[in-house]
Amino acid sequence: MDHLIPAPVRTGGGGSRGGFVLDGATTLTAGPGTGSTERWLRTTLGAAFGVPLAPSAPADGPANTVELRIDPSLEPEGYRLTVAPAQGVRLTGGGPAGVFWGAQTLRQLLGPHAFRRAPVRSSSTREGTTSMEIGFTEIEDCPRFGWRGLMLDVARHFMPKDGVLRMLDLLAAHKLNVFHFHLTDDQGWRVEIKRHPRLTEVGAWRARTKYGHRASELWDETPHGGFYTQDDIREIVAYAAERHIRVVPEIDIPGHSQAAISAYPELGNTDVIDTSALSVWDTWGVNPNVLAPTDNTLRFFEGVLEELLELFPAETSPFIHIGGDECPKDQWKASPAAQARMAEAGLADEDELQSWFIRHFDGWLTARGRRLIGWDEILEGGLAEGAAMTSWRGYAGGIAAAEAGHDVVMCPEQQVYLDHRQHGGPDEPMPIGFVRTLEDVYRFEPVPPGLSEEAAGHIMGAQANVWTEVMQNRDRVDYQVFPRLAAFAEVAWSRLPVPGERDFADFERRMNTHYARLDALGVRYRPPTGPLPWQRRPGVLGRPIEGPPPVV
């Protein structure tokens, strides 16, 4: 019980009064509102231990039953888990999500074999199944933050649907409840839009890819691409919803848009450059080719968002991310059409022009019952009243937004960008950015000191970001994300002391068990001793930044 990650609020018991045995005779009692967890338990624990978990009613007797129920007096994502030899397992959540997070804890209590897809036969096998005993246990738990997220960039390197579904399972195993889905960028457009088919016919494919940092002279000459059909997206959203994970789709505008412009050149600043000559970008960095602030562009992306809202229903995707970051203004400064738009709208400069662009879509989304969220650059030029922010360049943007009454998700690059390297050694593959060790991530604090109490109430939570420029396949994503995502998950869920007082030694001890869980799940994480030979990328240029990251 003391090897749980993330750490629960309160634990008791410790196995002193006998145990509960999960075996072929164990039944499953599911109360109203617990159906998603009932299905998940049969799919996962049933497969891992080869047990049917047959349905039963409370009147059938409690001794060998896992009972699921809801008690609204608990927090919606909170739960109470009791395991006793005469009572079986009683899992009570404040809502359906709370029951589900409690089931994740139950899985951890059952040991690493609970994370496998089929039974591992041993001397404990009885009646053709594998049994598992849990000692007397009492756990009460609820999360610190309501937004516990991971952003995955599938635009730079496409991740096929099966990989996305697997990532959702990994988020669920760590009690993370937000999946920020970065679907478009200069290097690829990844979601089918039926009224604009060239977005995927043209925009989803690039001829080659820079291998390593943009300063590298190496190229992968294999054409790269892919996209999710609308039915793929519906499946991903439904799969996430079954795991009580909200999906936040991102369509990056008005910058990071060369893939869209390559498909529809009229979206770009045609009075400045020949946009018909642009192709999907094959390298990394900040791209100068941004959307033109025209009525045609607004109508085009309204059409994109109309289809997106149908794919991502409001009950699972109340927020729509519109990017808004790294939008160079040089083409707007040189564009007569952009300057005319500024004069017409009474805008003082190009920052206000970007704000005009963002405000348009904020109003459009608000009218349809959704909330806009964007990167912290959307604060420049003025932020629409209902908009929320993901603060990536540091804490400063998030602090300013929270003090102004806007909701904020903290995801500062210097702390929780998991594409940054994990060690300063020479064997780290394509080393990017600052060294961010497992301990560094564990000491990340989402609420900066000095924030007023009212402003602190606007910190919705935290998010780790995974940009995939140098992650060309699933194994590379695994290496960068794990094990650090486990540390981040504890930061986002558990009520930890201030960073300097956190017991990292205890977390490391618990990680020794958690590595066995990751092994059972097939996660190709970075070992504590450093990269394995096949995880290295010798001779491929990265962009390491020396010294501790600034707190900005």
Side-chain angles (χ1 to χ4, degrees), residues 443 497-503:
R443 297 192 188 281
V498 296
E501 297 176 9
R502 292 178 187 172
D503 190 349

Side-chain angles (χ1 to χ4, degrees), residues 345-364:
L347 305 175
D349 55 26
E350 288 74 19
D351 283 343
E352 288 193 9
L353 180 58
Q354 178 167 337
S355 177
W356 168 88
F357 207 110
I358 301 302
R359 284 173 178 269
H360 173 86
F361 286 103
D362 178 75
W364 191 93

Side-chain angles (χ1 to χ4, degrees), residues 179-495:
F179 178 57
H180 178 167
F181 206 7
H182 185 80
L183 289 163
T184 74
D185 218 293
D186 299 301
Q187 295 85 0
W189 183 284
R190 305 295 180 215
V191 55
E192 177 187 27
I193 302 296
K194 292 187 181 295
R195 73 188 69 186
H196 301 306
R198 286 177 59 82
L199 285 172
T200 47
E201 291 171 357
V202 174
W205 310 93
R206 60 177 181 262
R208 63 176 187 167
T209 300
K210 176 71 73 171
Y211 193 48
H213 182 254
R214 61 180 175 269
S216 168
E217 296 182 357
L218 302 176
W219 292 88
D220 181 346
E221 299 291 344
T222 306
H224 179 85
F227 64 93
Y228 308 103
T229 68
Q230 294 203 348
D231 280 345
D232 289 338
I233 293 292
R234 293 186 181 99
E235 180 183 356
I236 289 167
V237 171
Y239 196 85
E242 274 284 291
R243 287 146 183 81
H244 300 276
I245 295 172
R246 287 174 287 159
V247 182
V248 180
E250 180 179 358
I251 302 296
D252 206 344
I253 54 177
H256 288 287
S257 296
Q258 182 160 319
I261 296 169
S262 73
Y264 293 93
E266 64 272 20
L267 296 175
N269 294 284
T270 57
D271 55 350
V272 176
I273 64 164
D274 178 10
T275 56
S276 66
L278 296 176
S279 59
V280 177
W281 212 25
D282 57 13
T283 189
W284 322 122
V286 178
N287 190 300
N289 298 307
V290 303
L291 297 174
T294 64
D295 289 342
N296 175 67
T297 299
L298 298 181
R299 301 293 87 76
F300 183 96
F301 280 95
E302 287 172 358
V304 168
L305 289 170
E306 282 179 5
E307 294 194 27
L308 207 72
L309 296 191
E310 191 275 327
L311 297 174
F312 296 89
E315 56 269 23
T316 55
S317 300
F319 287 91
I320 305 295
H321 205 293
I322 49 70
D325 65 318
E326 296 180 328
C327 179
K329 311 299 192 297
D330 296 343
Q331 289 185 0
W332 289 350
K333 290 177 180 178
S335 165
Q339 295 300 311
R341 172 66 80 185
M342 289 170 55
E344 173 191 342
L347 305 175
D349 55 26
E350 288 74 19
D351 283 343
E352 288 193 9
L353 180 58
Q354 178 167 337
S355 177
W356 168 88
F357 207 110
I358 301 302
R359 284 173 178 269
H360 173 86
F361 286 103
D362 178 75
W364 191 93
L365 288 168
T366 299
R368 288 155 180 81
R370 306 298 181 95
R371 289 187 66 187
L372 180 146
I373 188 168
W375 302 112
D376 54 55
E377 287 95 330
I378 68 172
L379 192 63
E380 298 167 0
L383 186 58
E385 182 178 349
M389 174 195 288
T390 38
S391 187
W392 76 272
R393 289 182 295 180
Y395 289 103
I399 291 171
E403 293 286 6
H406 296 282
D407 289 337
V408 174
V409 176
M410 284 294 185
C411 51
E413 174 186 16
Q414 303 84 356
Q415 311 298 325
V416 287
Y417 266 36
L418 300 185
D419 41 299
H420 283 214
R421 59 195 172 131
Q422 301 179 67
H423 192 275
D427 292 332
E428 292 302 309
M430 302 187 207
I432 300 295
F434 298 103
V435 172
R436 294 285 85 196
T437 65
L438 184 68
E439 181 173 0
D440 291 329
V441 174
Y442 191 67
R443 297 192 188 281
F444 164 60
E445 173 50 49
V447 180
L451 207 58
S452 70
E453 183 177 351
E454 182 179 357
H458 285 288
I459 305 299
M460 295 190 291
Q463 179 173 289
N465 293 340
V466 183
W467 301 102
T468 62
E469 287 94 335
V470 299
M471 299 179 216
Q472 73 277 21
N473 56 39
R474 194 181 81 178
D475 283 356
R476 280 285 291 123
V477 173
D478 276 7
Y479 180 90
Q480 292 299 133
V481 171
F482 295 97
R484 292 184 293 180
L485 192 68
F488 172 81
E490 183 149 310
V491 167
W493 177 279
S494 305
R495 287 161 174 77

